[in-house]
Amino acid sequence: MKNKIIITNTYKLKAYFIVGFFCLYSINIFSQDQKISDSLKLVLKTKKYSKSEKLKTLREIAANETNTDEIIIYSNELIKNAKEVDSIKFVYAGHLQLGNAYRLKSDLTKALENYFIASKIAVDNNLFSEQGTIKITIADVYSILGDSKNAENYYKSSIQLLGERLKSKEVKYLDSINLASAQLNLGDEYYNQNKLDAALYHFNKSGKLFKATKYEIGVAYNLGNVGLVYAEKGENIVAEEKLNEAIKVLVANEDYYPICVYLNAIADIYYEKKQTKKALLYANRSIYLAKEYGLKEQIGDGYLKLSFIYEKEKNYKKSFELYKKHIVYRDSVKSVSGAQKIANEKSKYEITLANEKARFEVEKKQTEVDLLNEQKKTQNIIVIAVVIALILLGFLAFLLFRRNKFVVKTGKIIQKEKERSDILLKNILPDETAEELKEKGSVAAKRFNSVSVLFTDFKGFTQFSEGLSPEELVENIDFYFSNFDKIIEKYDLEKIKTVGDAYMCAGGLPFPTEDHSYKITLAALEIVDFVKKTMNTASLEKPKLDIRVGINTGSVVAGVVGTKKFAYDIWGDTVNVASRMESSGAVNRVNISESTYNLLKDKTEFKFEARGAIEAKGKGKIKMYFVDKVS
């Protein structure tokens, strides 16, 4: 057997997905699925719900959301709405999800507050299955606090209660999962006490139950925890295999909290194999995921892991820097003492539980006596039960039908939003570039050897705009640019951008063409004609502006800049010279460079006016030509 791996921090991982609740023909397990949460949020904004439907939707969002701050928002909204209609189970669900969120944020004080509220609701309303699950969550927190005795007692109490529920054949699927979770977490508690054989015993029990119910998240947690035990035993090959199997399932289900723990465990395994680079890679992956999902405790653990590795590699400076980061995140986690204060209040609470249990036993005995006295009514009770069962089955069928319609409608909304996004993207970028961005997530810059670039600018626009309101300014500039858009679309040119009253387009990209200089010159002349006609149309209530147009031809580099609000742009000296052609031109004339002239000089439909070499700002003297169409 290989040497035992040195574990640099205690992995405390609980199967927090078990905390669910049962309502009429609906089981809701706390296994997060961000895609479901996002689609339900979208539908919640666009659909008017009845009060009961809204409660179910809020519960589903809180249960599937992976962002802890969002869980808190939707859980509070669930509690508020549930209290308005006096729905006990939904109030319970809200406090349960709040506790889960604060626990993920390592705010154990608030987590316990909400778990104890949920527990009291379950006891006061004889919600036996819920009592079993909430015991597990409270035990989890005791385990995190290091109170192993109370943690074991609560786990065992939950196992006993849920085991009795299964014997009565009530709600068997939900209770099977919750019982498996209690076994898993008790095994985890023994693992933390280094009682490895006891831990494997309970993991084997939980694994069989999860497989029997086909609950893949539970199977993943079980595999991961078994992997941690084998890592502690020094059986690295088996440990790595189990941990990687667990991570694969958890990634598919977007359940990131345990992945951080398992990644750190794999980092230990690779360091033990003397593969330091791989160990650092897995530890850094753990920190990246923890930061992305706001898991403070896991961020701190990740930095501690890196600090340990660098210390062993004798890079003490780096190790110390990382250890300081660990301390910062460790101290940002809510003080354990606050949580312990709540734990100290448990004695009063446990007395209340004991009284409730005694009262329940008395009532149970009285019920047995009453049933003996009512034997003659058994037949009627059976008939009533059958009728009720048929009604409930019909109601279940109706709910399933409604659920199916809801899923179909949600799918259509998502598809519609995707189509809108595609249309918007193609309005911003060329089709080819938009497709590349969607497929690869980025766009490679490309060089085009021959492209014609056009710039326009209105004379005196700044002074003109000072006398307009913002609405009038946008309306007037939109009038001109919308018509310019139609013109360049007519000649298959590519609009690049507008800056203030300047308009820029290009020909010969994103698909190279031979006649780009010819087409862009025709477009430029048509733009000038449009501006002139606007000036001469007295009845048109639009500003009468003069325009300068410049064109240059040469090589450019084109690509997409930014990661948000993508913009397709071009760069190079060709662009700068084109801008100088515009600024060095005359109003209502098209001014072209020598390179563009050389491509057009043989076109009989154009006539040219040589301007000689004219000084262009920042470029020295450049040969320029005015171009017009032959009448």
Side-chain angles (χ1 to χ4, degrees):
M1 180 182 291
K2 296 182 180 180
N3 294 331
K4 181 186 288 188
I5 298 171
I6 300 173
I7 304 297
T8 61
N9 60 293
T10 302
Y11 296 114
K12 291 186 177 180
L13 179 64
K14 298 299 177 186
Y16 60 89
F17 52 84
I18 53 86
V19 282
F21 45 88
F22 178 81
C23 57
L24 186 60
Y25 298 100
S26 174
I27 296 174
N28 186 346
I29 306 298
F30 186 67
S31 57
Q32 299 151 304
D33 189 329
Q34 188 61 47
K35 293 178 182 178
I36 294 176
S37 178
D38 289 340
S39 64
L40 289 174
K41 289 180 191 176
L42 185 63
V43 176
L44 188 64
K45 292 178 180 178
T46 58
K47 178 181 176 181
K48 290 186 177 180
Y49 284 101
S50 67
K51 290 184 178 180
S52 61
E53 288 175 330
K54 185 175 182 180
L55 290 175
K56 293 176 183 177
T57 304
L58 288 170
R59 181 190 66 194
E60 292 293 324
I61 292 172
N64 287 286
E65 178 61 49
T66 58
N67 183 300
T68 51
D69 291 331
E70 290 287 300
I71 297 173
I72 291 170
I73 291 170
Y74 283 96
S75 297
N76 279 318
E77 189 172 349
L78 173 60
I79 293 169
K80 176 184 175 184
N81 282 268
K83 286 181 177 179
E84 289 176 357
V85 296
D86 196 25
S87 176
I88 295 300
K89 286 195 174 183
F90 282 108
V91 175
Y92 168 90
H95 284 291
L96 185 63
Q97 300 300 345
L98 266 181
N100 293 335
Y102 284 119
R103 177 177 157 192
L104 290 176
K105 289 171 74 71
S106 298
D107 190 341
L108 302 181
T109 301
K110 289 187 178 179
L112 271 179
E113 286 176 358
N114 284 281
Y115 286 154
F116 279 130
I117 292 171
S119 178
K120 188 174 188 307
I121 292 171
V123 171
D124 289 347
N125 294 277
N126 294 328
L127 306 177
F128 299 111
S129 182
E130 284 80 353
Q131 289 179 45
T133 59
I134 203 66
K135 285 177 182 289
I136 300 174
T137 61
I138 294 172
D140 291 346
V141 179
Y142 277 125
S143 177
I144 295 170
L145 291 170
D147 189 345
S148 298
K149 182 178 180 181
N150 271 319
E152 286 182 36
N153 288 339
Y154 270 96
Y155 285 135
K156 290 175 180 178
S157 177
S158 177
I159 290 170
Q160 181 181 356
L161 192 151
L162 292 170
E164 292 175 357
R165 290 279 293 166
L166 287 177
K167 290 177 184 179
S168 66
K169 298 182 180 180
E170 294 182 56
V171 228
K172 196 163 188 176
Y173 177 74
L174 174 62
D175 287 332
S176 294
I177 292 175
N178 290 349
L179 179 58
S181 303
Q183 294 281 9
L184 178 65
N185 289 3
L186 180 55
D188 187 61
E189 187 60 33
Y190 284 129
Y191 164 76
N192 290 332
Q193 298 174 39
N194 206 33
K195 298 177 181 178
L196 303 183
D197 291 334
L200 277 178
Y201 171 80
H202 288 283
F203 289 158
N204 287 333
K205 281 197 168 188
S206 63
K208 291 176 182 178
L209 285 168
F210 282 131
K211 286 180 181 178
T213 55
K214 297 181 180 180
Y215 192 58
E216 62 177 20
I217 291 289
V219 173
Y221 271 67
N222 209 77
L223 285 168
N225 283 13
V226 169
L228 293 178
V229 172
Y230 280 112
E232 188 71 15
K233 282 174 169 282
E235 299 181 30
N236 294 348
I237 295 176
V238 179
E240 186 177 354
E241 177 186 336
K242 299 293 184 184
L243 290 168
N244 279 316
E245 284 182 42
I247 289 173
K248 184 177 180 181
V249 177
L250 293 166
V251 168
N253 288 273
E254 298 183 357
D255 195 353
Y256 298 107
Y257 175 86
I259 295 177
C260 298
V261 174
Y262 297 152
L263 288 172
N264 280 335
I266 295 177
D268 278 326
I269 290 171
Y270 277 113
Y271 189 74
E272 179 68 17
K273 292 179 179 179
K274 302 188 184 304
Q275 296 183 32
T276 306
K277 286 186 178 180
K278 278 196 172 183
L280 291 171
L281 176 65
Y282 278 96
N284 277 304
R285 280 181 61 192
S286 173
I287 292 173
Y288 174 80
L289 277 177
K291 284 184 175 180
E292 185 172 359
Y293 294 96
L295 307 174
K296 292 181 181 178
E297 183 180 358
Q298 304 310 319
I299 298 172
D301 288 347
Y303 281 127
L304 184 62
K305 180 66 59 188
L306 287 174
S307 175
F308 167 79
I309 294 173
Y310 279 111
E311 181 186 1
K312 291 297 181 182
E313 293 299 307
K314 302 188 185 304
N315 188 341
Y316 299 113
K317 181 179 180 181
K318 185 73 173 177
S319 174
F320 182 63
E321 289 174 357
L322 291 164
Y323 187 75
K324 286 194 294 184
K325 290 185 178 182
H326 158 71
I327 294 299
V328 170
Y329 278 97
R330 184 197 66 184
D331 291 345
S332 70
V333 175
K334 294 293 182 180
S335 172
V336 170
S337 62
Q340 193 65 53
K341 185 182 293 185
I342 291 179
N344 290 336
E345 296 293 326
K346 74 182 182 70
S347 58
K348 296 178 183 179
Y349 178 69
E350 287 174 345
I351 292 172
T352 302
L353 288 180
N355 291 337
E356 291 294 327
K357 183 175 180 181
R359 181 179 61 80
F360 173 73
E361 291 297 329
V362 172
E363 291 178 353
K364 182 178 178 182
K365 293 296 182 181
Q366 183 61 47
T367 301
E368 291 174 358
V369 174
D370 293 340
L371 287 174
L372 290 174
N373 294 330
E374 296 293 329
Q375 287 182 347
K376 293 182 180 180
K377 298 180 180 179
T378 299
Q379 292 294 330
N380 291 335
I381 293 173
I382 293 174
V383 171
I384 293 171
V386 170
V387 172
I388 291 172
L390 291 173
I391 293 172
L392 291 176
L393 285 172
F395 183 57
L396 173 60
F398 173 73
L399 288 178
L400 291 174
F401 173 73
R402 288 285 299 278
R403 175 69 175 174
N404 182 63
K405 286 183 66 178
F406 173 74
V407 171
V408 170
K409 185 174 181 180
T410 302
K412 289 180 179 178
I413 291 173
I414 294 171
Q415 181 61 32
K416 186 176 180 180
E417 290 300 316
K418 182 179 180 299
E419 292 171 357
R420 285 178 60 188
S421 297
D422 289 344
I423 291 170
L424 179 60
L425 190 60
K426 290 184 178 180
N427 279 336
I428 298 172
L429 305 176
D431 289 352
E432 179 191 35
T433 306
E435 290 300 325
E436 183 179 351
L437 182 63
K438 287 196 297 182
E439 290 178 10
K440 300 180 181 179
S442 62
V443 177
K446 296 180 182 178
R447 177 174 289 281
F448 295 86
N449 293 325
S450 183
V451 171
S452 291
V453 182
L454 176 150
F455 275 90
T456 76
D457 189 57
F458 291 109
K459 178 185 177 184
F461 184 80
T462 301
Q463 291 82 0
F464 165 76
S465 64
E466 289 176 353
L468 299 177
S469 67
E471 293 80 6
E472 291 172 329
L473 178 62
V474 173
E475 180 183 356
N476 286 318
I477 202 69
D478 179 65
F479 167 74
Y480 281 99
F481 284 174
S482 294
N483 282 281
F484 291 1
D485 288 345
K486 293 176 183 177
I487 293 170
I488 71 162
E489 185 176 2
K490 173 182 175 181
Y491 291 101
D492 294 325
L493 304 175
E494 187 68 36
K495 180 179 179 180
I496 303 301
K497 62 184 175 182
T498 62
V499 181
D501 62 321
Y503 186 97
M504 177 183 176
C505 67
L509 54 77
F511 302 105
T513 60
E514 297 293 332
D515 58 350
H516 54 81
S517 60
Y518 173 71
K519 286 184 175 180
I520 205 166
T521 304
L522 289 175
L525 291 169
E526 193 167 326
I527 286 172
V528 171
D529 286 342
F530 167 75
V531 173
K532 287 179 179 179
K533 288 177 182 177
T534 301
M535 292 182 66
N536 296 329
T537 305
S539 61
L540 190 64
E541 294 181 359
K542 295 296 175 185
K544 308 300 189 290
L545 299 171
D546 290 313
I547 193 169
R548 288 189 300 268
V549 182
I551 300 173
N552 181 39
T553 302
S555 65
V556 301
V557 173
V560 173
V561 294
T563 56
K564 294 182 179 180
K565 296 184 179 180
F566 301 109
Y568 184 74
D569 209 346
I570 57 178
W571 302 269
D573 194 58
T574 299
V575 179
N576 298 331
V577 173
S579 177
R580 297 297 179 264
M581 290 300 103
E582 175 271 311
S583 61
S584 301
V587 295
N588 301 327
R589 300 293 302 273
V590 178
N591 189 35
I592 65 174
S593 67
E594 184 177 19
S595 60
T596 307
Y597 168 76
N598 288 334
L599 294 173
L600 297 175
K601 61 186 179 181
D602 295 329
K603 301 291 184 182
T604 57
E605 58 264 55
F606 298 130
K607 59 182 179 180
F608 303 93
E609 179 185 333
R611 303 182 65 198
I614 297 176
E615 184 73 25
K617 184 179 179 181
K619 293 294 177 183
K621 289 187 176 183
I622 303 176
K623 287 185 178 181
M624 305 181 190
Y625 300 81
F626 284 135
V627 60
D628 289 295
K629 287 190 80 172
V630 175
S631 302

